[in-house]
Amino acid sequence: MKTTLLLFALVQCSAAFAQSTLVKGAPNQAFDLACALCTTSVDEVALWKGIRLLPYHKERSGMTNLLHWKYYDPIVKETVITSEELPWEKCTQLIELLADTDTLSLQINLTWTDSAAQVHRIYLLMGGLQKSDLTSLPVYSELEADAEPGLHHFSAIVQINNADGKSETYETISGEMTLNHFDAKTGAVGGTYQFEGNCIGWVKRGTFNNGSFERK
């Protein structure tokens, strides 16, 4: 119940699911994320301190994105955190303050547009990375069914609304993700992923195939 409440608090509902990207025939569903007319865009990238098990809502989490920047504001006489580097201030990116051995979790929020131009949300997490991993790419993470999460732990949440207007939220039970490139300063990121997830509240599974993301 605690996990379910966290997942439903994560994000707002997405747009309706297009039947054209659904493989029918069984109670379970398969989603081809790379169908001919499908597109995926990167909405936001966040880096959290420590090993996280699930993606977080960026405002409700109360955590600081280590990709943000800090500077000293002489007017208010205090350190200010900003999401972007300010060219007129001497800014330090928060990740620069960490040691190479510090443990981090990387979250990537995506928008997936299906073949009917309808929009859905995908939230990916690589938990238990060391800072040094982000400069020694590619980095591989996985989640095995019934395995205890540890270093290089993968998780994902997908939010989809069916054509009848009812929403579905899927949480990973197994899967993998590869981070191929990452630039903390520019926000460039790219990788691939695929996973199987439980549909929360239903005896139903979803398989998400051929996932990829790229932001230059």
Side-chain angles (χ1 to χ4, degrees), residues 14 17-18 21-22 30-35 37-41 43 110-115 117-122 158-160 193 208 212:
S14 61
F17 172 68
T21 54
L22 175 65
F31 303 84
D32 181 7
L33 301 175
C35 71
L37 298 178
C38 293
T39 61
T40 299
S41 60
D43 293 332
L110 307 175
T111 293
W112 172 51
T113 304
D114 65 28
S115 58
Q118 294 176 311
V119 178
H120 317 282
R121 309 296 179 188
I122 301 174
V158 179
Q159 288 202 317
I160 286 174
Y193 64 96
F208 297 83
S212 65

Side-chain angles (χ1 to χ4, degrees), residues 143-149 173-174 205:
L143 174 64
E144 296 181 0
D146 301 322
E148 290 294 326
I173 55 175
S174 65
R205 292 187 178 181

Side-chain angles (χ1 to χ4, degrees), residues 1 9 20 41 54 57 76-77 85 93 102 110 120 140 147 166 168 178 188 194 200-201:
M1 177 64 71
S20 58
S41 60
L54 291 169
H57 188 286
V76 297
K77 299 185 184 306
E85 184 177 15
Q93 195 168 28
D102 280 351
L110 307 175
H120 317 282
Y140 175 78
K166 295 181 179 180
E168 294 181 341
T178 300
Q194 59 184 9
I200 296 174

Side-chain angles (χ1 to χ4, degrees), residues 112-187:
W112 172 51
T113 304
D114 65 28
S115 58
Q118 294 176 311
V119 178
H120 317 282
R121 309 296 179 188
I122 301 174
Y123 305 87
L124 307 176
L125 186 81
M126 296 183 78
L129 303 175
Q130 289 190 329
K131 179 183 173 182
S132 59
D133 290 331
L134 299 175
T135 57
S136 302
L137 301 176
V139 174
Y140 175 78
S141 65
E142 65 179 344
L143 174 64
E144 296 181 0
D146 301 322
E148 290 294 326
L151 296 179
H152 290 200
H153 164 80
F154 169 68
S155 65
I157 295 171
V158 179
Q159 288 202 317
I160 286 174
N161 282 355
N162 291 313
D164 60 5
K166 295 181 179 180
S167 64
E168 294 181 341
T169 300
Y170 292 86
E171 180 191 355
T172 43
I173 55 175
S174 65
E176 60 186 25
M177 173 179 165
T178 300
L179 182 68
N180 293 322
H181 68 87
F182 175 74
D183 190 318
K185 293 189 180 298
T186 66

Side-chain angles (χ1 to χ4, degrees), residues 13-62:
C13 291
S14 61
F17 172 68
Q19 295 297 323
S20 58
T21 54
L22 175 65
V23 180
K24 300 181 180 179
N28 298 331
Q29 298 181 351
F31 303 84
D32 181 7
L33 301 175
C35 71
L37 298 178
C38 293
T39 61
T40 299
S41 60
V42 177
D43 293 332
E44 187 171 16
V45 180
L47 198 61
W48 312 120
K49 187 70 181 294
I51 301 178
R52 307 299 168 183
L53 301 183
L54 291 169
Y56 281 75
H57 188 286
K58 63 180 183 179
E59 282 90 16
R60 296 173 191 166
S61 70

Side-chain angles (χ1 to χ4, degrees), residues 78-131:
E78 63 181 31
T79 299
V80 177
I81 305 296
T82 178
S83 60
E84 297 181 359
E85 184 177 15
L86 305 179
W88 59 87
E89 298 286 353
K90 183 179 180 181
C91 296
T92 301
Q93 195 168 28
L94 300 181
I95 188 176
E96 296 177 5
L97 305 176
L98 303 180
D100 286 344
T101 55
D102 280 351
T103 306
L104 309 169
S105 296
L106 178 67
Q107 179 169 330
I108 301 173
N109 298 345
L110 307 175
T111 293
W112 172 51
T113 304
D114 65 28
S115 58
Q118 294 176 311
V119 178
H120 317 282
R121 309 296 179 188
I122 301 174
Y123 305 87
L124 307 176
L125 186 81
M126 296 183 78
L129 303 175
Q130 289 190 329
K131 179 183 173 182

